[in-house]
Amino acid sequence: MKENQLEELIGIMTLDEKIGMIHGNQLFQTKGIERLGIPPFISSDGPMGCRMDYKPASWQVIGQNYDYTSYLPSNTALAATWNPDISYETGKILGKEARGRGKDMILAPGINMMRTPLCGRSFEYMGEDPYLAAEMVVPLIQGIQENDIAACVKHFAVNSQETNRTTVNAIVDERTLQEIYFPAFKAAVQKGKAAAVMGAYNKLNGSYCCHNDYLLNEVLRKDWGFDGFVISDWGGVKDTVEAAFHGLDMEMSVTDNFDEYYMAAPLKKLVEEGKIPENIINDKVRNILRVMNRLNMLDGERKADSYNDTEDRIQLRKAAEESIVLLKNKQNILPLDEKKIKHILIVGDNGDRLHALGGGSAEIKALYEISPLLGMHMLLGGNVTIQYEPGYYTSVVGNVWDEGWQANSLEEDSAFWNREDSKNSERAEKNREYRQKALDAAKNADVVIYIGGLNHDYDVEGMDRRSLKLPYGQDTLILDLLSVRKDLIVVMMTGSPVDMSAWLDKTDTLVQTWYNGMEGGYALAEILFGKVNPSGKLPETFPMTLADTPACQSGISQDDKEIIYTEGVFIGYRHYDSNHIKPAFPFGFGLSYTDFSVTGGKSDWNRQKRHFR
């Protein structure tokens, strides 16, 4: 359909029909116009797979079994591959699965910069460097949109914290915006041709991002030439007039009073009273129709696509494999040789925890998820005894969220979000019991592998961490294990950096993995046993302590007023390099099992590493 035909459609629409297209009529759906052949527009979270389906007007899952889908590696994991081809292939799977589930737009990818490692949603983003994020997000979008489905990049802009996320005012200077926080979004729009952009909850320099004239009209439309549509984050709109004039095209929220949304009956009333010209509504409808037309939703042959395809699992395993980072291998303990091992001990809750059904809107119903324990069993077969001990007690189960949590997710300081590690007597007693079992078992195993880190009690939408310290008493457990087994292999599974200073200089073998999708546990086993050579590189700096981080002074605003980005452009490695601060591991760091030797000139530099098997 040509642009002039879209104008003809707009010309014969009633005001009610136009209003129905620009706000939610269900939690993830707008109204269609049946008489004109315009279908509803249907969205779905999220970045790690197409989310389960909910009832139209409540946050209750439908409860049927058709919406089990592929579980993808997190965006942080994708960024750690430093491989645009992996990003593209993963995007193709995400788009195909969303289209196969009957969606029109997937609410992904997230590309906010990791200003502080405390941010609860860092696992959804692509690290600290705008160039790396831009190079990885463009092919991801291109892969998604090959499937007649829109990619929606989020959250525009400077959504750097979850604490008071719906009220905090981020004060950021122009240079910092242009050099740090805008480039990945600009690339997503201009190179990736993203069909939609989602506004952030927070304010930027005094105005809410979902109807911020500078962000949406000046930068996005005028400077970057964006011709898709802008959608609010769910519940991100605060004012009808500002939403009408300042660049928002579609309002969504978490409540079921759809006709009372700011861009529903209140907007219609202002148009009828002549306070807002109807042409403003036409502009919004035109932007939405333009995207629908490109998706072949109006008169074209649209792709149907499928999901849970067997061949896609091979690609997702490859993505997981390439994301895992070897941080230390001083004694060449890795790769392990299964022919010389009879008894393996795995310690740590993440050794057998499943993560797909957690993290907030990133949650999905995974068709399956291979834990590290399962992956190890699958790889090694029946000739090796694999023992598992959790080692520490997690009284809060972050994988199973209360049904309907999202309806309350915009309430600041809600009790729901108060999920900090409690120090009650039950936890202390359980920890002692679990720790002792692990220490006793460690004395008799051929190999001891610790798999700990974080989970979606901490890497989670709506809540920031209060420190970089490992939860659940893990530092003490790791130190105790090291006192028994100097050859302990430590694996950290996290979505962002943790403070490892308590034991880092005492361990010789350290591996970083992520929320790595349905094949993540098997990929980790392959890395540990040398079936795959580790090639991942850190997409963010791992600091020694929180005090070393660039945003430490201004930090995270604990009130609902403002946070000033006093560090400016000096986030991530820019801060560490310019201030001569040594991190635990720098941005871009990652080892492999490869042997190599470099010689040349007057001086020879030789470096040997163990052969990759």
Side-chain angles (χ1 to χ4, degrees), residues 343-580:
H343 180 190
I344 295 174
L345 172 66
I346 296 176
V347 179
D349 181 74
N350 277 342
D352 199 33
R353 178 177 281 241
L354 304 182
H355 296 274
L357 199 61
S361 57
E363 64 184 3
I364 67 162
K365 283 170 63 177
L367 180 66
Y368 66 83
E369 179 181 353
I370 299 174
S371 71
L373 179 62
L374 174 57
M376 212 81 72
H377 275 281
M378 290 169 63
L379 182 70
L380 298 178
N383 288 336
V384 178
T385 298
I386 303 174
Q387 181 180 354
Y388 171 70
E389 294 290 345
Y392 55 90
Y393 175 63
T394 59
S395 60
V396 178
V397 182
N399 294 335
V400 182
W401 289 57
D402 299 329
E403 186 171 72
W405 66 267
Q406 193 140 4
N408 302 317
S409 65
L410 303 185
E411 297 179 13
E412 304 298 347
D413 300 321
S414 166
F416 174 80
W417 300 115
N418 187 20
R419 301 164 71 83
E420 281 295 302
D421 195 14
S422 62
K423 295 181 179 178
N424 53 49
S425 57
E426 177 192 20
R427 159 129 330 137
E429 181 60 34
K430 288 283 189 181
N431 262 343
R432 282 193 292 269
E433 176 188 341
Y434 287 10
R435 181 182 300 125
Q436 193 57 53
K437 286 183 177 180
L439 291 172
D440 291 343
K443 297 172 184 176
N444 301 315
D446 297 328
V447 173
V448 182
I449 304 171
Y450 181 84
I451 306 177
L454 301 176
N455 55 40
H456 288 313
D457 292 340
Y458 292 90
D459 281 321
V460 60
E461 178 183 357
M463 187 188 85
D464 296 312
R465 284 188 283 156
R466 296 180 183 176
S467 79
L468 291 185
K469 288 292 186 182
L470 285 169
Y472 313 119
Q474 289 182 78
D475 284 336
T476 299
L477 174 59
I478 294 171
L479 286 169
D480 287 348
L481 285 168
L482 284 166
S483 70
V484 175
R485 297 296 298 253
K486 174 62 179 172
D487 60 349
L488 178 71
I489 297 166
V490 178
V491 178
M492 286 286 106
M493 181 185 296
T494 70
S496 53
V498 294
D499 185 339
M500 299 180 280
S501 60
W503 45 266
L504 184 59
D505 62 345
K506 297 177 177 64
T507 185
D508 293 326
T509 313
L510 178 61
V511 175
Q512 172 68 33
T513 190
W514 320 90
Y515 305 117
N516 238 339
M518 59 202 302
E519 292 283 339
Y522 193 84
L524 177 62
E526 289 182 304
I527 292 291
L528 295 177
F529 282 88
K531 307 302 181 182
V532 173
N533 194 12
S535 60
K537 310 295 179 187
L538 293 180
E540 54 211 16
T541 305
F542 277 30
M544 288 297 294
T545 66
L546 181 60
D548 291 337
T549 60
C552 179
Q553 297 304 313
S554 43
I556 289 175
S557 177
Q558 296 297 331
D559 59 37
D560 62 356
K561 294 181 180 178
E562 66 181 32
I563 178 71
I564 302 174
Y565 285 40
T566 55
E567 73 282 355
V569 300
F570 295 98
I571 74 166
Y573 61 83
R574 292 166 173 81
H575 164 78
Y576 295 92
D577 289 350
S578 60
N579 290 286
H580 307 290

Side-chain angles (χ1 to χ4, degrees), residues 116-254:
T116 165
L118 295 177
C119 178
R121 293 184 88 170
S122 288
F123 72 98
E124 294 188 46
Y125 305 142
M126 289 187 160
E128 69 186 29
D129 182 61
Y131 180 79
L132 175 63
E135 289 296 302
M136 294 299 290
V137 77
V138 167
L140 184 62
I141 292 167
Q142 291 169 338
I144 290 171
Q145 296 191 160
E146 279 189 9
N147 301 275
D148 286 350
I149 188 161
C152 179
V153 293
K154 61 186 188 181
H155 309 87
F156 192 54
V158 295
N159 186 175
S160 302
Q161 66 177 65
E162 291 298 286
T163 304
N164 297 313
R165 60 181 179 161
T166 64
T167 52
V168 70
N169 180 26
I171 306 298
V172 192
D173 66 85
E174 184 70 16
R175 178 192 171 191
T176 300
L177 289 171
Q178 295 292 346
E179 293 186 19
I180 302 296
Y181 297 101
F182 283 174
F185 284 100
K186 183 178 181 180
V189 167
Q190 294 187 335
K191 296 180 180 179
K193 305 297 181 184
V197 172
M198 181 188 290
Y201 280 130
N202 54 281
K203 297 177 184 177
L204 171 63
N205 295 330
S207 297
Y208 280 103
C209 292
C210 283
H211 34 74
N212 186 305
D213 186 58
Y214 165 74
L215 276 179
L216 305 183
N217 287 331
E218 291 298 316
V219 175
L220 189 60
R221 296 283 184 196
K222 183 179 177 182
D223 294 350
W224 298 350
F226 178 64
D227 67 351
F229 71 83
V230 177
I231 187 172
S232 73
D233 205 340
W234 268 233
V237 180
K238 306 294 183 180
D239 184 272
T240 297
V241 173
E242 289 189 16
F245 285 105
H246 294 169
L248 184 70
D249 298 309
M250 185 184 291
E251 178 190 5
M252 303 299 289
S253 193
V254 299

